[in-house]
């Protein structure tokens, strides 16, 4: 088509008084009475004036708590306990310990996070030379493992398997495999964390074993790629979920006094209730320094009531999780993209951050959630099946898996989560979730850095250098969005390939 033809077409449109919109503002798209998921919407690219590494993902979890990473882990009993919470804090986010356990156990779990030495692996994988020779153990070691003569911490260090699968041999030890690998530097346990970081940078290592004078493994440091989430005493930040029953007030008292938890989530599938408002008001009065996250909500009206009651942040989402059946069973909920936009619009005016909870399947969904108004994104299914998730691996039809279930599943309810769905007083338990398995995903020490870098690149394409910039573009209408047809969604993914390998990084 010639330039003249294009100009004539524009002249005709102007003469006819037609106005052609090049994309829509978010206010217009989400104001049509249609509910959208993340996959339904797409953003127009903005103007790039900065490099991707210049993008800052620093954000507010609550009114008072800042994070270097906008990714947090869900308080589900197959997602977050101590190991997950420690690793999330070390990566600049935060983990929320579930409450589908006795009070004493939840207190101990939070205490374990608080007591963990910053910069060191909580439960390092340690193998013996004989274990390394086994096929399954080699696969396990590919997540990064130390090798000692006993196969445990305290044994004489013989080498290390890096995250990339490379085998490094310790000084004075014969080759662990053939041909002989590179040497592993000997670092004493008296070495400071800062010095250990320098050594890892020099040798391009992701982790570093520290030994005593006799060469016995004492602990393992890891490379810090982002500022960890720390409290005022230099300990890891950690959150915990609680319910709204009378006994949950005692639970919070113990979590605060014995474990010094930093933030609590009032965990409910539908948070706009008198129960939650009363609990919120009680906690803000009884524990003035405690940050309290309310929810879940999906509408502006719900958000206003909880903000008025004193919420320090809101958790957004209802029925959008991969294991959630609330929309199917109860016929209530909302598409997650629409929910995040409308709750974010109300919360932003009140200075209250929101957490996009549910429906996140990839880094693009994280970009969309943040760009539509969220300050953080909560991941459940993305982190289920990882090394840090609770539970043991087992094999199904030759595939290594872990259990993953919704807190509304009958299996989880039998352990006590029914109060989350107001079902603890009912004779018949109605499931609002399912139970199943997910494939082994390795460590989130690999997954989260990938997600963060992909998010930075997404923000670069949007022309937003940080979260406040993205929210300003959204609010002003400069950020243009459109709804994608089914064909557009198919075109936006991999297609017309006979076979392919989808390698993320």
């Amino acid at each position: 088509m010639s330039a003249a033809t294009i100009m004539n077409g524009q002249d005709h449109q102007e003469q006819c008084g037609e106005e052609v919109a090049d994309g829509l503002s978010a206010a217009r798209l989400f104001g049509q009475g249609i509910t959208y998921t993340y996959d339904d919407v797409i953003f127009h690219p903005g103007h790039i004036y900065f490099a991707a590494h210049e993008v800052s993902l620093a954000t507010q979890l609550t009114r008072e708590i800042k994070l270097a990473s906008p990714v947090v882990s869900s308080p589900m009993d197959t997602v977050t306990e101590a190991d997950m919470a420690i690793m999330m804090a070390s990566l600049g986010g935060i983990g929320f310990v579930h409450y589908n356990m006795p009070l004493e156990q939840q207190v101990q779990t939070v205490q374990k996070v608080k007591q963990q030495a910053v910069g060191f692996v909580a439960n390092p994988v340690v193998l013996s030379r004989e274990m390394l020779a086994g096929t399954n153990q080699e696969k396990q070691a590919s997540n990064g493992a130390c090798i000692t003569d006993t196969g445990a911490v305290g044994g004489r260090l013989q080498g290390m398997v890096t995250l990339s699968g490379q085998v490094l041999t310790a000084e004075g030890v014969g080759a662990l495999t053939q041909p002989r690998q590179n040497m592993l530097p000997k670092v004493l346990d008296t070495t400071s964390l800062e010095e250990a970081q320098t050594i890892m940078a020099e040798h391009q290592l992701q982790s570093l074993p520290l030994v005593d004078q006799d060469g016995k493994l004492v602990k393992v440091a890891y490379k810090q790629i982002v500022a960890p989430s720390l409290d005022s005493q230099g300990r890891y930040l950690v959150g915990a979920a609680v319910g709204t029953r009378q006994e949950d007030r005692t639970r919070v008292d113990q979590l605060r006094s014995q474990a010094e938890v930093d933030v609590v989530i009032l965990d409910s599938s539908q948070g706009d209730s008198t129960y939650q408002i009363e609990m919120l008001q009680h906690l803000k009065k009884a524990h003035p320094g405690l940050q309290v996250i309310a929810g879940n909500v999906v509408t502006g009206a719900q958000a206003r009531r909880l903000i008025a009651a004193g919420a320090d942040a809101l958790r957004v989402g209802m029925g959008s999780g991969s294991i959630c059946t609330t929309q199917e069973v109860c016929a209530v909920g909302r598409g997650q993209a629409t929910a995040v936009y409308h709750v974010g619009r109300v919360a932003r005016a009140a200075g209250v951050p929101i957490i996009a909870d549910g429906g996140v399947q990839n880094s693009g969904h994280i970009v969309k959630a943040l760009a539509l108004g969220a300050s953080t994104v909560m991941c459940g299914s993305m982190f289920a099946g990882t090394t840090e998730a609770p539970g043991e691996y087992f094999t199904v039809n030759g595939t290594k898996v872990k259990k993953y279930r919704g807190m509304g599943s009958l299996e989880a309810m039998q352990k006590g989560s029914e109060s989350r769905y107001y079902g603890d007083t009912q004779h018949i338990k109605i499931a609002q979730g399912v139970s199943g398995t997910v494939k082994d995903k390795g460590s989130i020490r690999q997954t989260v850095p990938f997600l963060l870098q992909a998010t930075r690149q997404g923000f670069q394409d949007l022309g937003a250098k940080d979260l406040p910039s993205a929210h300003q573009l959204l609010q002003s209408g400069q950020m243009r969005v459109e709804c994608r047809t089914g064909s557009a969604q198919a075109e936006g993914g991999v297609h017309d390939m006979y076979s392919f390998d989808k390698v993320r990084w």
Side-chain angles (χ1 to χ4, degrees), residues 247 265 358 467 471:
E247 54 264 38
I265 279 184
L467 268 69
H471 294 170

Side-chain angles (χ1 to χ4, degrees), residues 3 25 59-60 66 76 147 181 230 250 330 365 397 400 486:
S25 67
T59 189
Q60 293 288 144
K66 296 181 179 180
M76 303 172 71
I147 304 163
Q181 287 71 38
L230 306 178
T250 301
C330 299
H365 289 170
N397 298 326
K400 187 178 177 183

Side-chain angles (χ1 to χ4, degrees), residues 144-335:
C146 294
I147 304 163
T148 69
D149 59 355
T150 63
V153 174
R156 190 175 299 279
L157 183 67
Q158 296 184 324
M160 182 179 74
V161 183
T162 68
L163 290 175
S164 63
Q166 181 184 16
V167 180
L168 304 179
T169 305
E171 293 180 10
V173 176
L176 297 173
T177 58
Q178 296 297 331
R180 186 177 179 87
Q181 287 71 38
N182 295 331
M183 297 299 294
L184 178 65
K186 181 178 180 180
V187 182
L188 296 177
D189 60 333
T190 54
T191 303
S192 69
L193 182 58
E194 291 73 19
E195 291 174 312
Q197 293 295 322
T198 300
I199 294 171
M200 283 186 276
E202 290 176 352
H203 292 268
Q204 297 182 330
L205 298 174
Q206 297 297 314
S207 58
L208 182 68
L210 279 68
V211 299
D212 62 16
Q213 293 288 350
D214 297 323
K216 295 181 178 179
L217 179 64
V218 176
K219 53 188 175 182
V220 181
Y222 61 84
K223 183 179 179 181
Q224 293 181 331
I225 61 171
V226 64
S229 303
L230 306 178
D231 63 18
S232 59
Q233 299 180 50
R235 302 171 302 180
Y236 284 133
L237 291 178
V238 58
V242 298
T244 57
R245 298 166 298 186
Q246 189 66 33
E247 54 264 38
D248 285 301
R249 300 187 179 192
T250 301
R251 183 177 286 262
V252 176
D253 291 343
Q254 297 300 309
L255 285 168
R256 190 65 169 159
S257 63
Q258 295 186 25
E260 297 182 83
V261 71
D262 300 287
V263 53
V264 296
I265 279 184
L266 301 184
D267 194 26
S268 173
S269 64
Q270 212 285 53
D272 183 18
S273 68
T274 56
Y275 315 111
Q276 187 157 141
I277 289 174
E278 289 172 359
M279 182 68 164
L280 183 55
Q281 293 172 334
H282 164 77
L283 292 181
K284 296 307 296 181
K285 183 177 180 180
H287 305 279
L290 178 64
Q291 295 289 280
V292 183
I293 300 170
N296 283 27
V297 296
V298 293
T299 71
Q302 290 179 301
R304 290 187 186 94
R305 279 188 281 271
L306 294 181
I307 290 171
D312 295 300
L314 295 175
R315 190 175 170 198
V316 180
M318 190 173 186
S320 57
S322 66
I323 39 63
C324 187
T325 60
T326 297
Q327 293 185 20
E328 174 188 340
V329 173
C330 299
V332 292
R334 202 172 200 178

Side-chain angles (χ1 to χ4, degrees), residues 296-426:
N296 283 27
V297 296
V298 293
T299 71
Q302 290 179 301
R304 290 187 186 94
R305 279 188 281 271
L306 294 181
I307 290 171
D312 295 300
L314 295 175
R315 190 175 170 198
V316 180
M318 190 173 186
S320 57
S322 66
I323 39 63
C324 187
T325 60
T326 297
Q327 293 185 20
E328 174 188 340
V329 173
C330 299
V332 292
R334 202 172 200 178
Q336 189 66 347
T338 301
V340 169
Y341 173 74
H342 281 291
V343 175
R345 181 172 52 86
V346 171
R348 183 166 53 251
V352 175
I354 69 169
I355 304 169
D357 173 30
V360 175
Q361 302 168 16
N362 51 55
S363 58
H365 289 170
I366 294 176
V367 174
K368 291 177 181 180
L370 296 174
L372 288 173
S375 293
T376 53
V377 175
M378 180 170 281
C379 297
S381 64
M382 285 193 73
F383 293 161
T386 60
T387 306
E388 294 78 15
E392 298 297 326
Y393 286 110
F394 57 98
T395 302
V396 177
N397 298 326
T399 301
K400 187 178 177 183
V401 299
K402 267 189 181 182
K403 182 167 286 187
Y404 179 50
R405 66 189 182 199
M407 296 304 285
S409 66
L410 290 178
E411 189 176 316
M413 285 186 176
Q414 289 169 359
K415 287 191 65 178
S417 70
E418 69 268 22
S419 64
R420 186 177 193 272
Y421 299 85
Y422 307 112
D424 50 332
T425 60
Q426 305 301 315

